[in-house]
Amino acid sequence: MEKETRVLDEVTIRFAGDSGDGMQLTGGQFTNTSAAMGNDLSTLPDYPAEIRAPKDTTYGVSGFQIHFGTTEINTPGDHCDVLVAMNAASLKVNLRSLIDGGIIIVNTDGFGDKNLKLAGYNQSPLSDGSLSKFQVFQVDITKLTNLALADMNLSQKVVDKTKNFFALGMMYWMFNRTLDNTIQWIQEKFEKKPELIEANTRVMKAGWNYAETTDIFAVKYDVKPAPLTPGKYRNINGNQATALGFVAAAEKANLPLFLGSYPITPATGILEELAYFKNYGVKTFQCEDEIAGITSAIGAAFGGNLAITTTSGPGVALKTEAIGLAVMTELPLVIVNVQRGGPSTGLPTKTEQADLLQAVYGRNGEAPVPVIAASSPSDCFNSAFEASRIALKYMTPVMLLTDGYIANGSEPWLIPEVKDLKEIPVKFRKDPVDYQPYQRDEITLSREWAIPGTPGLEHRIGGLEKHVKTGNINYEPENHHTMISLRAAKVERIANDIPPATVEGDESGELLLVGWGGTYGTIKTAVERKRKEGKSVSQLHLHYINPLPKNLGEVLARYKTILVPEINLGQLIKLLREKFLIPAVGLNKVQGLPFRSIEIEQKIDEILGGKQ
Amino acid sequence: MNSLIDSVVSTATVAETKYTAKDFASDQDVRWCPGCGDYSILAQVQRVMPELNVPREKVVVVSGIGCSSRFPYYMNTYGFHSIHGRAPAIASGLKIARPDLSVWVATGDGDGLSIGGNHMIHVLRRNVDINILMFNNQIYGLTKGQYSPTSEMGKVTKTSPVGSVDMPFNPASLALGSGGTFVARSLDRDPKHMQTIVKRAAEHKGTSFVEIYQNCNVFNDGAFFAFTEKETKPDTVVFLEHGKPLVFGKDNDKGIKLDGFSPVVVSLKDGSHSVNDLLVHNEKDSTLAFILANMTYNPELPRPVGIFLAIDRPRYEVEMEKQIDSAISKRGKGSLEKLLNSGDTWVIQ
Ligand SMILES: Cc1ncc(C[n+]2csc(CCOP(=O)(O)OP(=O)(O)O)c2C)c(N)n1
Ligand code: SF4
Ligand SMILES: [Mg+2]
């Protein structure tokens, strides 16, 4: 039977199963293949919070969502069009993200009495009619996998581990993907285990053939390549991009890279990534706590390294006093906060943007710190690079904010040419004549970096207030005021050194959405959809939050209404109101989840009136 | 790695200048209370420095907060007066980043064992090659006299008006228990001894932990007089010397013998014991070190002073450099170009 092929602009698929079912791997393979086939895409894994949750329970469900298309893709997708559910629990957990009329592919073997009971179903959703508004494909993946490997004499454990490739094979058929990339990957991955190469390849092909021959699949879909900028790409998540950004900055500054850190979700990935880069001379120091993370980095900065510390909100809370020390000693340092749901331990594996005010204000005393926020997984690279540049040029700690959503989410990244990355000029003071530790550059107001080992520059720094010139301890009232003002002015002057805020959309108009951080893609999707409807709505996304771009006030003034969507109760909006005295409107949601573009679209409609 | 700091690192010439103690005194007025034991510690360190053959610019003193932590300001070296308790972590980062430096920590009993206790135990187990001088005055000096984690039980202070109820740390035992490779104790009022110990600490490769009994004449005057004053010291202190029997007493008339695992005092005068019966100190024996450290606070026994333990163990920063070197020899020196282009890549035409 010749099957029908329909062409789609974009599709979102969610692979879901028990944490032991290999769904991350399956999703990752589908992603790499789709990327190689030229689609634009964005992905988001959804791990269970428990490491080894009991099998087949709802809290052991692991998911992976990929949104890919012929068009520009900015988010992992609000909803999915296709849900692959390897057991009852994964269906239960993920059904609400499936659109009406969407496709469900289930492994019927994962819907036995025991599975249903563990998932909390009284009766099987496959037979009680509750899935009637979806297109359900029931496949006994377990049985078919066993059949495909029947003659191979493999243990049941090994056979079970391959069944995700059956699902992958079916999806490759359904979306007209080549098997070649994954076959090659299997060959490299199991280079030393030929029987696993054979088993996994065979099962994947069996899945593809099954979909091709059985009557239940009548339609396949084609998603043509996207018009991406030519060049070399790789898929990258936010934490990887952050790590690479620092390695690149260290190279461009001609400095060794030092990371002091203590593991914490969702920031650990950066430490893990950098720990692997030993042959780049990167030193990663896994400390006893977050305080040691930052203070060891401060020590390394004093010693002339590009020093960084990575953590999440609770860790920043612990580092607070030491950030003040870096402000006071005017040493270069980057603090990365991969934000997660708070307060306290909060929602460790979920995303949030609620640490913005902590970043800008959260210290004792007048302790200004530049704050930069990354807007997407790949933008973490630029942001880490830029945070390093500012830290080194202005001799200051810099806070870099990312979040769990972009840290784990991934997207294709147009790999930059090393020669196109800007040099970061760094000079150590060498001349002992007239050296004053707190003498400042007239333009940047930054002090000089004089590192131990330099003859004749022996000097002492510390957290006590110091004399404006000599750096000696000084408690005089006027001197303190002068130093406080100088440290503030130094950070303010960074505004002269950052790009102006730019608007995507119209120069002026009814409505401007102002966002920051990981909401970029979602806001963009919403704004573009509304612009297609002819609405006067534009977007401005802030990468620099302290200081704000110099032109921001003037830009904001050109729009009737300013809408600030944030995954918090309104933090950027406070800064904007305070600085520009504008009556901005907030859109706030704090559920541990990213915005869906539809939520932003609804708010736009509400402000502009439904039909306009 | 080729980097900007290489030129600074490689100026590591052996000190050709002959320094004197004065070369290590900064131009800052020393602001400890007159009579404070800290003066002696500063003087001894400044006296030892010229003997170490380390160029002055390679020396960094890191401290936390407390009277004791003012120390770096008075040393004409690189110095970092940081925040309360964190000096061992700052020093670790500095030493790991810059193994060419001679890194020192000046800390107090509060700074090092209370708020900074966590960093202290971890630097000791990692054996980062830094030298820690812990000024133990059994009190919080800077904040004007509250009991500290080394204050004796029942200590009456403003925050413990009817006496403290917590058991003090024995710093030497804590350091040994943390895996310290060089653990010693000295006295502010015994300059010669302190110089020897500080020098040995500097020479030790790995973390050196030196507890120095320091008199705070304002808030805890005389806390250690029993051990430091001429009249009592001979009978209250036993000096640990490698390879030598533990003899003490005004006329060297007493000694320490091991009874099972317990040290006991024996008389060398009454004919019951001779020097040959005595415990002979071996600073390479970590089990013995625990036994000796545990004599502290035992009212029946003299206070052990000297080097409890001095052994070699791999150093954190050296092992890290080895891993880096081996990664470079196995995988080649990383190129940014290659790193950015690693993983699955694809080309869009
Ligand atoms: C975070 C923080 N908590 C508390 C203090 C107050 N404080 C300063 S020094 C000190 C105790 C110092 O005692 P110790 O380390 O024994 O030093 P000493 O003054 O006795 O030499 C305290 C509690 C501080 N500076 N910072
Ligand atoms: S308070 Fe005590 S420890 Fe501090 S300087 Fe005075 S005497 Fe020394
Ligand atoms: Mg003290």
Side-chain angles (χ1 to χ4, degrees):
Chain A
M1 179 181 86
E2 188 52 29
K3 300 197 177 183
E4 181 195 344
T5 300
R6 284 184 209 154
V7 176
L8 297 175
D9 272 353
E10 52 175 299
V11 179
T12 300
I13 303 176
R14 182 175 271 248
F15 295 92
D18 196 62
S19 15
D21 284 339
M23 290 297 101
Q24 302 303 324
L25 190 155
T26 311
Q29 282 304 310
F30 195 94
T31 302
N32 289 353
T33 294
S34 300
M37 291 178 74
N39 293 124
D40 196 5
L41 56 86
S42 173
T43 69
L44 190 69
D46 181 11
Y47 306 106
E50 274 77 15
I51 306 295
R52 293 262 185 274
K55 199 168 152 1
D56 286 328
T57 57
T58 50
Y59 36 95
V61 172
S62 168
F64 185 99
Q65 184 159 312
I66 167 169
H67 181 195
F68 63 107
T70 306
T71 52
E72 190 180 335
I73 301 294
N74 295 306
T75 76
D78 282 2
H79 290 102
C80 59
D81 306 298
V82 181
L83 172 63
V84 178
M86 298 299 278
N87 66 0
S90 59
L91 179 75
K92 179 139 198 195
V93 169
N94 290 291
L95 194 59
R96 68 171 186 174
S97 56
L98 187 65
I99 56 161
D100 287 358
I103 294 173
I104 303 176
I105 296 169
V106 296
N107 176 16
T108 50
D109 184 55
F111 286 75
D113 290 347
K114 199 171 155 218
N115 308 97
L116 291 168
K117 204 168 150 226
L118 282 166
Y121 280 119
N122 291 326
Q123 45 192 346
S124 175
L126 303 183
S127 54
D128 69 359
S130 62
L131 302 178
S132 58
K133 59 181 177 180
F134 307 108
Q135 312 171 51
V136 185
F137 297 94
Q138 304 192 26
V139 183
D140 193 340
I141 293 177
T142 310
K143 190 170 120 204
L144 291 165
T145 301
N146 272 291
L147 273 175
L149 301 178
D151 59 339
M152 273 191 73
N153 247 330
L154 298 165
S155 74
Q156 193 55 45
K157 216 171 137 195
V158 171
V159 173
D160 284 344
K161 279 218 145 103
T162 63
K163 64 177 192 272
N164 57 331
F165 280 94
F166 194 94
L168 183 61
M170 288 195 295
M171 297 312 284
Y172 277 166
W173 177 85
M174 185 179 268
F175 290 97
N176 241 338
R177 318 266 95 178
T178 164
L179 302 183
D180 295 350
N181 288 70
T182 299
I183 291 174
Q184 196 188 335
W185 178 86
I186 292 171
Q187 285 168 352
E188 282 164 19
K189 168 94 183 171
F190 300 109
E191 203 188 312
K192 300 210 173 78
K193 294 184 183 144
E195 76 280 8
L196 291 186
I197 296 181
E198 170 68 17
N200 285 312
T201 311
R202 225 201 248 188
V203 170
M204 180 167 67
K205 285 184 175 163
W208 197 95
N209 289 331
Y210 177 80
E212 169 78 8
T213 44
T214 179
D215 290 344
I216 52 177
F217 291 101
V219 185
K220 59 199 307 195
Y221 302 91
D222 205 6
V223 181
K224 297 247 166 5
L228 293 167
T229 313
K232 196 166 171 192
Y233 285 80
R234 65 182 279 192
N235 218 5
I236 200 158
N237 72 33
N239 278 346
Q240 290 168 329
T242 305
L244 291 186
F246 286 123
V247 177
E251 165 131 344
K252 289 292 172 177
N254 202 6
L255 294 174
L257 181 62
F258 178 97
L259 166 65
S261 187
Y262 186 78
I264 182 170
T265 304
T268 314
I270 306 173
L271 170 60
E272 290 173 346
E273 197 77 15
L274 285 173
Y276 193 73
F277 299 157
K278 296 219 171 2
N279 57 327
Y280 295 82
V282 177
K283 290 183 175 171
T284 54
F285 182 38
Q286 182 179 313
C287 299
E288 55 272 24
D289 59 25
E290 278 88 353
I291 302 175
I294 185 169
T295 48
S296 63
I298 289 174
F302 186 50
N305 280 23
L306 171 57
I308 59 173
T309 186
T310 51
T311 190
S312 188
V316 174
L318 287 173
K319 292 175 196 292
T320 301
E321 188 193 13
I323 298 173
L325 177 68
V327 168
M328 202 64 167
T329 50
E330 303 190 41
L331 285 169
L333 174 73
V334 181
I335 304 118
V336 182
N337 179 355
V338 186
Q339 298 165 96
R340 65 188 217 179
S344 185
T345 311
L347 306 172
T349 58
K350 304 288 174 191
T351 199
E352 209 158 282
Q353 293 187 301
D355 299 343
L356 183 68
L357 294 180
Q358 178 195 43
V360 176
Y361 293 123
R363 285 163 294 283
N364 58 306
E366 296 285 355
V369 165
V371 179
I372 293 180
S375 62
S376 74
S378 66
D379 184 54
C380 289
F381 177 84
N382 309 324
S383 302
F385 192 91
E386 180 66 353
S388 308
R389 179 187 76 86
I390 290 177
L392 292 165
K393 181 165 177 184
Y394 291 87
M395 293 291 282
T396 177
V398 174
M399 181 80 78
L400 168 58
L401 297 175
T402 74
D403 61 49
Y405 176 61
I406 58 177
N408 291 319
S410 63
E411 62 183 1
W413 177 45
L414 179 58
I415 302 169
E417 294 281 348
V418 171
K419 64 171 175 14
D420 295 342
L421 298 171
K422 281 210 200 87
E423 296 298 323
I424 302 179
V426 172
K427 257 206 329 248
F428 293 127
R429 169 89 185 203
K430 295 280 177 63
D431 181 5
V433 178
D434 290 334
Y435 173 61
Q436 306 269 31
Y438 281 80
Q439 206 168 351
R440 288 170 197 280
D441 179 89
E442 274 177 24
I443 294 164
T444 60
L445 293 181
S446 74
R447 74 181 192 98
E448 290 174 295
W449 203 359
I451 63 171
T454 318
L457 296 186
E458 292 84 355
H459 67 282
R460 276 65 56 192
I461 57 171
L464 288 173
E465 186 59 283
K466 38 194 69 56
H467 185 263
V468 62
K469 285 257 155 54
T470 61
N472 291 330
I473 304 175
N474 190 294
Y475 297 147
E476 284 163 29
E478 292 77 16
N479 180 74
H480 181 50
H481 192 92
T482 306
M483 287 300 272
I484 289 281
S485 311
L486 270 172
R487 287 186 289 261
K490 178 173 85 167
V491 172
E492 277 307 315
R493 285 203 186 177
I494 295 168
N496 298 327
D497 199 9
I498 61 175
T502 52
V503 172
E504 295 179 65
D506 308 321
E507 285 269 291
S508 61
E510 289 292 321
L511 177 60
L512 180 70
L513 275 72
V514 181
W516 67 278
T519 51
Y520 173 73
T522 318
I523 298 176
K524 184 172 164 108
T525 304
V527 167
E528 276 178 359
R529 284 195 192 141
K530 289 294 142 187
R531 287 180 62 78
K532 277 200 192 121
E533 290 175 14
K535 300 232 156 102
S536 167
V537 51
S538 304
Q539 177 183 15
L540 186 159
H541 207 73
L542 288 170
H543 293 263
Y544 299 85
I545 296 173
N546 193 36
L548 288 162
K550 283 211 291 198
N551 65 334
L552 185 60
E554 175 254 313
V555 173
L556 298 183
R558 299 201 298 251
Y559 300 83
K560 246 198 210 141
T561 307
I562 304 293
L563 171 64
V564 185
E566 294 180 86
I567 316 281
N568 58 39
L569 288 183
Q571 301 199 0
L572 175 65
I573 201 171
K574 283 200 177 73
L575 299 178
L576 297 179
R577 283 177 183 153
E578 173 209 317
K579 178 134 183 164
F580 304 112
L581 304 173
I582 50 165
V585 181
L587 171 61
N588 306 92
K589 139 170 158 176
V590 206
Q591 304 176 347
L593 297 169
F595 277 117
R596 287 183 284 137
S597 18
I598 185 73
E599 293 163 337
I600 296 174
E601 289 167 45
Q602 280 162 358
K603 187 71 186 178
I604 295 173
D605 285 342
E606 188 190 304
I607 292 172
L608 294 179
K611 300 192 176 55
Q612 180 202 10
Chain B
M1 288 287 108
N2 282 331
S3 75
L4 266 186
I5 66 171
D6 288 352
S7 63
V8 180
V9 173
S10 62
T11 51
T13 46
V14 181
E16 276 164 28
T17 347
K18 279 276 164 258
Y19 296 114
T20 65
K22 260 210 273 3
D23 292 313
F24 288 91
S26 77
D27 60 355
Q28 299 296 295
D29 296 333
V30 184
R31 296 211 219 156
W32 288 310
C33 307
C36 175
D38 291 354
Y39 284 94
S40 166
I41 304 176
L42 178 63
Q44 308 328 320
V45 171
Q46 287 171 342
R47 238 163 254 163
V48 169
M49 280 288 163
E51 297 173 30
L52 300 179
N53 276 324
V54 179
R56 191 172 61 184
E57 67 271 13
K58 290 283 183 183
V59 179
V60 187
V61 187
V62 184
S63 67
I65 298 291
C67 297
S68 37
S69 288
R70 290 294 179 100
F71 196 87
Y73 288 116
Y74 310 136
M75 291 286 296
N76 190 14
T77 61
Y78 284 89
F80 201 147
H81 178 227
S82 72
I83 44 177
H84 205 15
R86 316 303 168 196
I90 293 179
S92 294
L94 178 60
K95 181 69 185 180
I96 292 164
R98 293 286 307 279
D100 62 302
L101 299 173
S102 166
V103 180
W104 296 70
V105 166
T107 183
D109 42 322
D111 190 65
L113 300 186
S114 197
I115 192 166
N118 196 30
H119 308 308
M120 186 62 80
I121 58 179
H122 287 278
V123 71
L124 285 161
R125 85 179 161 84
R126 292 190 185 107
N127 202 32
V128 182
D129 188 8
I130 63 174
N131 311 307
I132 301 170
L133 306 178
M134 204 276 282
F135 303 21
N136 184 7
N137 54 11
Q138 297 190 169
I139 200 84
Y140 288 168
L142 190 72
T143 46
K144 302 193 160 79
Q146 302 78 25
Y147 67 101
S148 90
T150 54
S151 298
E152 68 278 14
M153 241 175 157
K155 179 90 185 163
V156 175
T157 69
K158 278 177 248 173
T159 53
S160 53
V162 291
S164 62
V165 290
D166 30 340
M167 173 81 184
F169 269 134
N170 169 15
S173 295
L174 182 73
L176 290 169
S178 310
T181 54
F182 183 98
V183 178
R185 175 181 290 151
S186 191
L187 310 167
D188 58 351
R189 290 156 102 94
D190 192 338
K192 280 270 149 339
H193 186 263
M194 204 200 307
Q195 287 170 31
T196 319
I197 299 292
V198 169
K199 187 148 185 249
R200 283 287 311 275
E203 286 160 1
H204 176 71
K205 294 194 182 332
T207 311
S208 311
F209 178 86
V210 182
E211 175 194 16
I212 303 169
Y213 283 174
Q214 172 245 326
N215 191 39
C216 167
N217 53 309
V218 174
F219 297 111
N220 203 13
D221 196 22
F224 304 105
F225 279 1
F227 312 115
T228 57
E229 302 314 288
K230 266 215 294 292
E231 305 72 48
T232 45
K233 183 177 176 184
D235 289 313
T236 54
V237 169
V238 58
F239 283 96
L240 308 173
E241 289 179 79
H242 183 60
K244 300 221 174 122
L246 270 64
V247 177
F248 69 107
K250 236 178 225 113
D251 310 311
N252 284 336
D253 56 346
K254 285 180 273 193
I256 301 292
K257 186 186 102 162
L258 264 194
D259 181 7
F261 292 113
S262 305
V264 291
V265 176
V266 296
S267 166
L268 298 177
K269 226 169 40 185
D270 62 5
S272 63
H273 293 85
S274 80
V275 171
N276 296 335
D277 299 319
L278 299 184
L279 172 56
V280 174
H281 184 42
N282 177 3
E283 61 185 31
K284 307 278 166 221
D285 183 340
S286 56
T287 310
L288 179 61
F290 275 100
I291 293 173
L292 295 172
N294 208 30
M295 290 169 64
T296 313
Y297 303 152
N298 184 334
E300 321 254 284
L301 298 172
R303 193 63 58 101
V305 169
I307 297 168
F308 293 91
L309 185 70
I311 53 171
D312 282 331
R313 198 155 50 73
R315 284 166 281 164
Y316 186 97
E317 73 281 8
V318 174
E319 296 307 301
M320 179 182 269
E321 296 253 316
K322 278 193 206 154
Q323 287 191 343
I324 289 174
D325 291 345
S326 119
I328 290 172
S329 70
K330 272 195 212 123
R331 290 189 259 159
K333 197 176 159 221
S335 95
L336 183 56
E337 186 82 46
K338 241 171 63 196
L339 181 61
L340 298 185
N341 286 278
S342 60
D344 290 320
T345 61
W346 68 93
V347 174
I348 301 285
Q349 303 291 344

